[in-house]
Amino acid sequence: MNNSLAAALRAGLAAPICLTWELTYACNLSCSHCLSDSGAKAPGELTTGEALSLIDAFAEMGIFYVNVGGGEPMMRRDFFQIIEHAAARRVGVKFSTNGTFLDAAAAKRLAGMDYVDVQVSIDGHDAATNDAVRGEGSFAKAVSALTNLGAAGFVNPKISVVATRHNVAHLDELEALAGSFGATLRVTRLRPSGRGTHSYAALRPTELQNRELFGWLSSRPEVLTGDSFFHLSPLGDPLPGLNMCGAGRVVCLVDPVGDVYACPFTIHPDFRAGNVRETPFSRIWKTSGLFATLRAEPGPSSCSSCGAYSSCQGGCMAAKFHTGTDLADPDPECVMGRAREARGTVVSIRPRRSSVATR
């Protein structure tokens, strides 16, 4: 990405490139690294009517697609009504599911829809590795969902993997698993957000694994990453994507009760920009004081003098925030070793609960 494009993106766009919408915090699993600390349904979730109106607002802004998640989005009884309305308004939906509710009938319904992409979460190449993180029986349920999608003729589902120290060594097997279902593999970074604040120290890849992961991804441009690993860019040619923190600039999150946050990994009052029940989403996106601050020219940073700064832009804001690191400091997983230089070691996690996490 050239400097002029990076500057334009940092200043913010007229609409998000990627908007994440957590439909519900209800979930039948209790994954140890869940970024939103899901489990119980949040009181006061958007009604069906409010959800449909929000899709209309997305369409009017020209938002191309939304990432729908949770919680488990298929636990909403109006799930299909919502995504079918999105399809009718030509707003694409990429939704993440643990697969539990993706039976043959649901798979057939999804296979008959336009503008819908399905992403099944699996965090290990086998049941033992996956279920240690996602819960007993979750691997079998995810595989069953993928089988149902294949039988229904759904084209190119995704398998989404959060990279941990327990699965990085098995990326080849995960790639083969995806291939066996005609699926594309997607690998994302573990962030210390939600329940991940408690599991981060035990699950995050080691420094050596991060280097191996970067090399593996660099040799496989067909594997999707969603800009998760731009903090590894100093190790070589940047991976495809923006390779910068897009929070409040090109991405944001809407939660189940309509609160808008800077990114999916900063579900915390400090990064709340507004609520769609009080202010139209388009106005929040365009006029939020928080977003204006994030879009401003960055201030002094301890990373500015580093020769790799143009590659990683200082790393992930959320990773820094949730580890108690100053936002001007290096990413806690800085591959140049600057996090250690600044703090001596990676700081201990300071869990931060969002306003809805106490639901």
Side-chain angles (χ1 to χ4, degrees), residues 39-229:
K41 176 181 177 181
E45 288 185 352
L46 297 178
T47 66
T48 301
E50 288 173 324
L52 300 184
S53 294
L54 189 55
I55 290 169
D56 292 337
F58 295 159
E60 289 163 9
M61 287 183 71
I63 295 175
F64 183 63
Y65 75 90
V66 296
N67 289 318
V68 169
E72 171 50 54
M74 295 188 76
M75 289 185 72
R76 276 195 66 135
R77 294 183 179 180
D78 56 2
F79 169 74
F80 276 105
Q81 186 178 355
I82 290 171
I83 65 170
E84 284 169 352
H85 185 66
R89 293 303 312 265
R90 299 197 174 192
V91 175
V93 168
K94 299 186 178 186
F95 84 91
S96 297
T97 177
N98 60 40
T100 302
F101 303 98
L102 215 167
D103 57 17
K108 184 176 181 181
R109 192 168 180 178
L110 290 166
M113 297 177 63
D114 294 325
Y115 307 109
V116 174
D117 194 19
V118 183
Q119 189 168 273
V120 180
S121 296
I122 296 179
D123 289 322
H125 67 294
D126 57 16
T129 308
N130 176 86
D131 293 4
V133 174
R134 304 188 61 82
E136 185 176 355
S138 57
F139 183 81
K141 292 171 183 176
V143 167
S144 177
L146 288 160
T147 301
N148 290 334
L149 288 170
F154 190 94
V155 178
N156 192 25
K158 309 296 185 294
I159 289 180
S160 181
V161 176
V162 177
T164 70
R165 69 179 56 183
H166 303 299
N167 63 28
V168 167
H170 301 287
L171 290 172
D172 287 341
E173 290 96 326
L174 284 161
E175 183 181 37
L177 179 67
S180 71
F181 289 105
T184 296
L185 183 64
R186 182 174 185 264
V187 182
T188 62
R189 180 183 181 182
L190 172 73
R191 261 99 166 184
S193 173
R195 280 197 294 277
T197 58
H198 304 288
S199 61
Y200 179 68
L203 291 181
R204 67 180 186 140
T206 65
E207 290 184 31
L208 176 59
Q209 286 179 322
N210 269 329
R211 290 177 178 274
E212 293 171 345
L213 173 61
F214 181 81
W216 192 89
L217 291 171
S218 295
S219 67
R220 290 166 173 81
E222 70 279 4
V223 173
L224 305 177
T225 63
D227 267 313
S228 292
F229 301 105

Side-chain angles (χ1 to χ4, degrees), residues 22-26 34-46 70-71 193-195 253-261 263-264 266-272 274-275 277-278 352-359:
E22 309 286 34
L23 280 188
T24 182
Y25 284 134
C34 178
L35 67 90
S36 60
D37 196 10
S38 292
K41 176 181 177 181
E45 288 185 352
L46 297 178
S193 173
R195 280 197 294 277
L253 173 137
V254 181
D255 83 351
V257 299
D259 283 335
V260 180
Y261 295 92
C263 88
T266 55
I267 305 173
H268 184 277
D270 286 9
F271 294 96
R272 179 183 178 275
N275 185 283
R277 283 173 165 153
E278 302 164 358
R352 308 198 188 206
R353 304 288 290 186
S354 76
S355 58
V356 297
T358 55
R359 58 198 176 279

